[in-house]
Amino acid sequence: MRKSRADEFMEFAAGRTGHLFRSACLLTSGDTHLAEDLVQETLGRMYALWGRMARIDNPSAYAQTVLVRTYLTQRRRRSSGERPLAELPESTSGRGDDPALRVALLDALARLAPKDRAVVVLRYWEDRSVEETAAAMNVSSAAVRTRSTRALARLREQLGGDLSELAAAV
């Protein structure tokens, strides 16, 4: 018996939601509520395109691209009612070995520009190539390399010796 499109999408969504959520958490510097919204928006857009997915070679990679572009679009038109916090709230997820390291890394990521953060997440969290990252962000490969170099330098500057001290404590 052939699966309906809705069943196929539900199977796809169930398999990709966790991965998309983890990426969204990194993009949003640990804001789980915004990450959930990004994943919902991404899955909604994917569902709208699901009938035409036969033309897309890798739906998982396409979903990741939709997630990053949705994040960048939301960052550009962020509501004036939103107020960034000076410090990250305490994490209640219970995941991870060292909360201090997690908070330090998320705080450092939060200080990066949205496009720089997207490059770091795609290149080093998602382990994508320069070309794949460029395609996901709709920029040139040179722009990805430049942003990557500058973002990593900024992260090193922000974390300095703190990162080695935090990592040693783990």
Side-chain angles (χ1 to χ4, degrees), residues 1 10 56 81 149 166:
M1 186 171 158
M10 292 301 291
I56 297 173
T149 301
L166 288 169

Side-chain angles (χ1 to χ4, degrees), residues 60-139:
S60 297
Y62 188 76
Q64 198 68 30
T65 298
V66 170
L67 177 78
V68 170
R69 289 183 180 171
T70 302
Y71 161 73
L72 292 173
T73 299
Q74 284 187 354
R75 290 298 300 174
R76 279 193 294 270
R77 62 180 164 138
R78 190 171 86 185
S79 169
S80 62
E82 295 179 21
R83 301 285 182 241
L85 300 174
E87 295 181 31
L88 291 174
E90 293 297 319
S91 173
T92 58
S93 65
R95 286 194 235 163
D97 298 324
D98 185 14
L101 178 60
R102 178 185 302 253
V103 169
L105 291 173
L106 288 174
D107 187 43
L109 275 174
R111 292 183 195 152
L112 293 177
K115 287 185 179 182
D116 290 347
R117 190 178 320 153
V119 166
V120 169
V121 169
L122 288 172
R123 288 280 293 129
Y124 303 103
W125 173 257
E126 294 292 325
D127 198 28
R128 289 191 180 198
S129 69
V130 171
E131 292 75 23
E132 290 171 332
T133 302
M137 294 182 62
N138 202 23
V139 297

Side-chain angles (χ1 to χ4, degrees), residues 27-55:
L27 287 170
T28 61
S29 300
D31 184 343
T32 57
H33 300 293
L34 182 55
E36 289 170 351
D37 290 346
L38 283 172
V39 171
Q40 284 297 102
E41 180 75 20
T42 298
L43 291 175
R45 290 180 184 193
M46 291 296 294
Y47 185 76
L49 295 171
W50 197 252
R52 295 177 271 166
M53 290 305 283
R55 289 185 261 164

